[in-house]
Amino acid sequence: MKRKTYLVSDRYLEHISFSQIQLEQVELGDLSTLDLETTGLKFNHHSIIFVIVGTKENQYVIDYNFVDVEKLKILLSRPKIYLGHNLSFDLPFLIERGFTFTTGQVYDSMETELTLVKGTMHSVSLQNTLKRRLGVDDLDKGITMEFTRMSPTNPHFEDRHIEYAYKDVLHLEDLREEQLRIITKLKQNQVVRYNNEMVVVVSYMKVTGMPLNKDKWMDLYYANLKRCDELEIELDGELNKLGLIQKARLKIRYIQTDLLGGGTDVVNVNKNHINYASPDQMKDIFSHFNQPIPKVNKKVNGKQVEKDTTGTKELEDYLLSRPKSILKGFLLVLIQYRVYSKRVSTYGKSFLEEHLTSKGRIHPDFKINRTATGRMSSNNPNAQNIPALKEFRECFEVVGTDSMFTCDLSSAELRILASLADDKVLKGLYESGEDLHSYLATPAFRYLKDDPTFVVSKKQNSELRTLMKTVNFGIVYGASGSKIGKVLNVSKQKGERVLEIMKLTIPATFKFLEKQEWTGQNIGIVKFDNVWNQVRYFEQVAKGEEVTKEALSAIGREAKNCAIQGVNGQMIKLALVNIFNYIREHNLKSRIISAVHDEVIIEVVEGEESHCDNYKLMMEVAGDFFLDGVKMEAEGGLNKCWSK
């Protein structure tokens, strides 16, 4: 096949041997590849060097800073489908600069490959994907860093940079054909379609960003710092009670100020005291009191090794197994301290310095399909890990007369479980409107209270209903009797008995979970549903390799939950695509700004509030699309900030 590569630029470069043409000479059909070379990773900070478009016969490497950008926008509006690998990186650069894209305009070979290798360790880089699917191994990614050193106003590039750029798109048409052949065979066309449409949705979400009130965030930061200091003093007191005398902390903290009087740093002057954030010093405390140190199993060189730890989860388990430990009072305070110190270190001043832009927004990078269940995730920053506390969410607020609509699916995972398990009891509860958590809590607490007349409801013993709610959601993740006992603050034996009572109450649910566990541990391929046909592979099992007892237990736990999480993720993707298209079709100015698990957040422009009922309806319809015999319910509300 004869291939031709052109450099498209308004300037003539004598040292370039490739044919040089003007933008007007570029010919694009309905199908075109798309890729960018940039000076860095940040769409709103770094610059575009090349825009690469074309087909496997004709590639056009466009010298972005030396062409008419308005004419380029017109040119890039022509293709009906763009092929690319990791287009959720490229599109934000173009969207930020005024280019527009529609949800049906993208085929992303990376997102498609992620669907095909779900749960495996296969790399989905372009280099590895081409080698795996086409046997092509001619990419050299070493030149990438050279683009980061180029001047955006006068980039100096050579033939090898152009050759590198066009090779990135050279095989994308053949790759798409091979992927679609497999996708069609597996009947996964729908899941691939929506994962690809989501590329456009998350690209616009990233560019829009989430508004964040800096002053509120800093007030919260200082409040959490103060609480850390108070807990340090409490920890000193607990050790004093045990005979390990700590001198009084002379002065807790002081705030350095800059010339304008603003706080610029926070300094802890108690450097010679115990550092309660130090794992080694905490281990020393266990040793000082001749107490066994909590253990954790970790992989070292592929083998499970037991190691000492003072991790929060291990401390909680330690207290559960040793309720009369002399360190109990100290450890209870230490666990609190860990919570607040995490908020300070992860969601404090450094968070703003790293992520808040001059426009007063953070711009999370939403990952469509990176998890083993296909559920969305995010990073830089991780919007899904921001504490789900009122005081944190209130920091994310709109300015002026606009508002924020927060909508989430109600008890989504339990409704999905009822549908997948075809549990007549659970389905009946949802159909009748009877409260599921009260229904399951009553027999459990009749046993625990040894009272056959005991009742739990939203009005009677509601605090026990709340506890049982945690247990009910826990069964989705394969909660053990030990875990249930921990939640209910009872012994492991009583927790196991509660689990048995639940199995007798909703047997079909537990039969389904046991089947999923068996399938994961013995077949290694767990199917989510019969709608989009997404599967999750447990590669070691599927290949017939030897699996350790610990690894097999982990596979069982993941197998129980992956279909439930997977369908939940599919619901949100369907809802996001439909809401995004609705906003476009109605020429609205409102914008989707975030999605956290089964929750969608929309920035609503004044005058467009009436559409929120339709957003809520689209969430419910997306849920119903995957459910059989269970209706999805969504809850939403308008506010000035991110709120439930």
Side-chain angles (χ1 to χ4, degrees):
M1 180 188 300
K2 186 177 179 181
R3 298 185 175 100
K4 190 70 174 177
T5 301
Y6 301 92
L7 173 64
V8 183
S9 181
D10 290 340
R11 58 175 177 163
Y12 181 74
L13 302 173
E14 291 185 356
H15 64 285
I16 298 297
S17 62
F18 287 90
S19 299
Q20 299 183 44
I21 63 174
Q22 300 292 302
L23 196 61
E24 291 80 3
Q25 296 173 267
V26 175
E27 296 180 0
L28 294 180
D30 288 344
L31 183 68
S32 175
T33 55
L34 176 63
D35 191 32
L36 301 184
E37 298 299 341
T38 66
T39 61
L41 302 178
K42 295 184 178 180
F43 74 94
N44 52 2
H45 177 71
H46 294 110
S47 302
I48 300 172
I49 300 296
F50 288 153
V51 176
I52 307 103
V53 293
T55 65
K56 56 186 175 183
E57 292 86 11
N58 295 304
Q59 297 89 38
Y60 303 96
V61 179
I62 300 172
D63 187 7
Y64 179 81
N65 297 285
F66 291 90
V67 296
D68 186 323
V69 174
E70 294 307 312
K71 290 181 180 179
L72 181 58
K73 290 177 184 177
I74 295 171
L75 175 68
L76 293 192
S77 67
R78 292 174 188 167
K80 293 180 180 178
I81 298 179
Y82 273 114
L83 311 182
H85 199 83
N86 193 19
L87 284 171
S88 55
F89 168 81
D90 303 296
L91 294 193
F93 274 88
L94 295 169
I95 292 168
E96 173 76 358
R97 290 154 180 81
F99 293 77
T100 59
F101 297 91
T102 61
T103 53
Q105 203 176 5
V106 163
Y107 180 91
D108 192 316
S109 52
M110 189 188 78
E111 295 299 339
T112 303
E113 191 67 13
L114 282 164
T115 300
L116 291 173
V117 300
K118 187 62 58 197
T120 72
M121 298 299 290
H122 291 306
S123 165
V124 294
S125 69
L126 180 59
Q127 189 171 18
N128 286 315
T129 301
L130 288 174
K131 187 175 181 180
R132 181 166 53 252
R133 298 299 174 194
L134 301 178
V136 172
D137 191 16
D138 62 353
L139 294 185
D140 177 13
K141 305 301 287 185
I143 295 178
T144 302
M145 293 304 297
E146 295 185 25
F147 288 100
T148 67
R149 296 189 287 271
M150 290 185 182
S151 165
T153 56
N154 187 25
H156 178 80
F157 47 82
E158 302 169 3
D159 280 357
R160 62 195 183 90
H161 295 104
I162 297 173
E163 182 177 351
Y164 167 84
Y166 83 72
K167 277 191 173 181
D168 261 8
V169 300
L170 191 60
H171 304 287
L172 290 182
E173 288 188 48
D174 292 335
L175 178 58
R176 176 175 178 258
E177 289 178 10
E178 175 61 16
Q179 286 180 329
L180 288 179
R181 182 187 68 79
I182 302 170
I183 288 296
T184 301
K185 182 180 178 180
L186 297 174
K187 297 180 181 179
Q188 292 181 337
N189 303 75
Q190 285 294 89
V191 69
V192 167
R193 171 193 165 186
Y194 280 96
N195 281 333
N196 279 306
E197 293 194 4
M198 278 294 298
V199 172
V200 174
V201 178
V202 299
S203 295
Y204 276 93
M205 286 165 60
K206 181 176 181 178
V207 173
T208 301
M210 303 174 67
L212 176 58
N213 186 314
K214 178 181 178 180
D215 293 334
K216 282 188 175 182
W217 190 268
M218 288 301 293
D219 287 344
L220 184 56
Y221 169 57
Y222 289 128
N224 287 327
L225 267 176
K226 180 181 178 183
R227 183 59 184 144
C228 279
D229 294 332
E230 293 169 349
L231 289 169
E232 283 183 349
I233 293 173
E234 287 185 39
L235 287 166
D236 289 345
E238 291 295 331
L239 292 180
N240 287 342
K241 292 177 188 177
L242 297 173
L244 186 59
I245 305 301
Q246 295 295 298
K247 62 180 180 179
R249 295 183 184 250
L250 300 176
K251 182 179 181 183
I252 300 175
R253 295 182 189 265
Y254 66 89
I255 300 173
Q256 293 179 337
T257 57
D258 56 27
L259 294 176
L260 299 177
T264 61
D265 202 1
V266 179
V267 180
N268 188 342
V269 300
N270 296 287
K271 294 181 180 178
N272 295 324
H273 288 68
I274 289 177
N275 178 6
Y276 294 111
S278 167
D280 287 338
Q281 290 191 36
M282 295 306 97
K283 291 175 191 175
D284 289 343
I285 289 174
F286 278 90
S287 298
H288 178 83
F289 291 103
N290 296 315
Q291 296 296 300
I293 301 173
K295 307 287 184 182
V296 64
N297 286 315
K298 286 194 173 184
K299 270 192 176 180
V300 178
N301 298 324
K303 294 183 179 180
Q304 290 286 341
V305 178
E306 193 174 61
K307 301 188 73 174
D308 290 342
T309 182
T310 57
T312 300
K313 179 182 180 301
E314 288 74 29
L315 292 181
E316 291 173 344
D317 291 342
Y318 185 91
L319 286 174
L320 190 66
S321 61
R322 294 177 174 83
K324 296 182 180 180
S325 169
I326 63 170
L327 290 176
K328 180 177 180 179
F330 172 78
L331 295 180
L332 287 172
V333 180
L334 180 62
I335 290 169
Q336 287 187 63
Y337 177 76
R338 291 279 174 80
V339 171
Y340 281 93
S341 60
K342 172 75 172 177
R343 293 176 189 173
V344 166
S345 61
T346 306
Y347 303 107
K349 183 179 174 184
S350 60
F351 181 93
L352 297 182
E353 292 171 344
E354 186 174 356
H355 302 296
L356 189 66
T357 67
S358 59
K359 295 180 180 179
R361 290 177 180 259
I362 63 169
H363 298 268
D365 186 5
F366 291 94
K367 304 297 184 184
I368 301 161
N369 203 17
R370 293 295 182 95
T371 63
T373 62
R375 206 175 193 183
M376 286 177 63
S377 57
S378 71
N379 61 4
N380 299 320
N382 188 343
Q384 300 183 339
N385 268 10
I386 293 169
L389 300 171
K390 185 174 182 286
E391 56 265 34
F392 275 96
R393 291 192 163 196
E394 284 182 344
C395 294
F396 294 89
E397 65 175 3
V398 293
V399 297
T401 56
D402 294 344
S403 52
M404 201 176 285
F405 182 66
T406 307
C407 187
D408 72 336
L409 301 178
S410 176
S411 301
E413 290 188 335
L414 288 174
R415 292 174 192 271
I416 293 166
L417 179 57
S419 174
L420 294 178
D422 191 23
D423 191 310
K424 301 296 190 294
V425 175
L426 291 183
K427 285 183 174 182
L429 290 170
Y430 282 121
E431 186 176 356
S432 66
E434 189 174 348
D435 181 52
L436 166 69
H437 303 299
S438 300
Y439 181 86
L440 294 176
T442 295
F445 282 101
R446 282 179 176 176
Y447 156 70
L448 293 173
K449 300 290 184 181
D450 193 21
D451 181 354
T453 65
F454 196 80
V455 173
V456 178
S457 69
K458 290 182 178 180
K459 294 182 179 180
Q460 291 179 267
N461 303 303
S462 60
E463 74 284 357
L464 300 182
R465 176 189 176 275
T466 301
L467 278 178
M468 199 64 188
K469 187 175 179 180
T470 303
V471 171
N472 295 339
F473 283 112
I475 67 170
V476 174
Y477 294 88
S480 64
S482 175
K483 179 69 175 179
I484 292 172
K486 179 180 174 182
V487 172
L488 300 180
N489 196 27
V490 298
S491 68
K492 176 183 176 181
Q493 292 72 23
K494 288 187 176 181
E496 288 173 346
R497 178 56 187 151
V498 169
L499 183 59
E500 289 300 318
I501 291 170
M502 293 181 72
K503 288 180 179 181
L504 292 171
T505 308
I506 46 173
T509 287
F510 284 92
K511 185 177 180 181
F512 167 78
L513 293 173
E514 288 164 6
K515 180 182 177 183
Q516 295 293 90
E517 180 181 32
W518 184 92
T519 302
Q521 292 176 333
N522 292 275
I523 308 298
I525 304 173
V526 176
K527 190 175 181 181
F528 292 1
D529 60 8
N530 295 316
V531 183
W532 280 4
N533 297 309
Q534 174 70 76
V535 299
R536 191 255 201 251
Y537 297 96
F538 295 95
E539 198 168 16
Q540 282 182 288
V541 176
K543 287 183 176 180
E545 297 175 357
E546 186 176 345
V547 183
T548 65
K549 184 178 179 181
E550 293 84 359
L552 203 61
S553 295
I555 287 171
R557 289 192 297 272
E558 290 184 48
K560 284 181 179 180
N561 175 255
C562 67
I564 301 162
Q565 259 199 34
V567 172
N568 194 3
Q570 292 173 178
M571 288 176 176
I572 290 300
K573 291 176 189 178
L574 180 58
L576 285 167
V577 169
N578 290 343
I579 292 170
F580 180 88
N581 288 336
Y582 176 92
I583 289 172
R584 282 285 186 87
E585 290 163 5
H586 290 79
N587 296 313
L588 303 178
K589 295 180 180 178
S590 299
R591 301 172 294 183
I592 304 170
I593 60 173
S594 187
V596 177
H597 302 310
D598 50 16
E599 183 178 54
V600 172
I601 304 99
I602 302 168
E603 192 171 352
V604 179
V605 172
E606 184 183 20
E608 297 181 0
E609 295 86 355
S610 62
H611 294 276
C612 291
D613 287 341
N614 289 330
Y615 303 147
K616 178 176 176 290
L617 179 61
M618 281 184 274
M619 293 277 284
E620 292 177 338
V621 169
D624 291 342
F625 181 78
F626 293 96
L627 298 180
D628 179 16
V630 183
K631 293 292 291 181
M632 182 56 71
E633 291 183 7
E635 299 173 347
L638 270 172
N639 210 317
K640 292 297 292 182
C641 60
W642 178 11
S643 62
K644 293 286 275 188

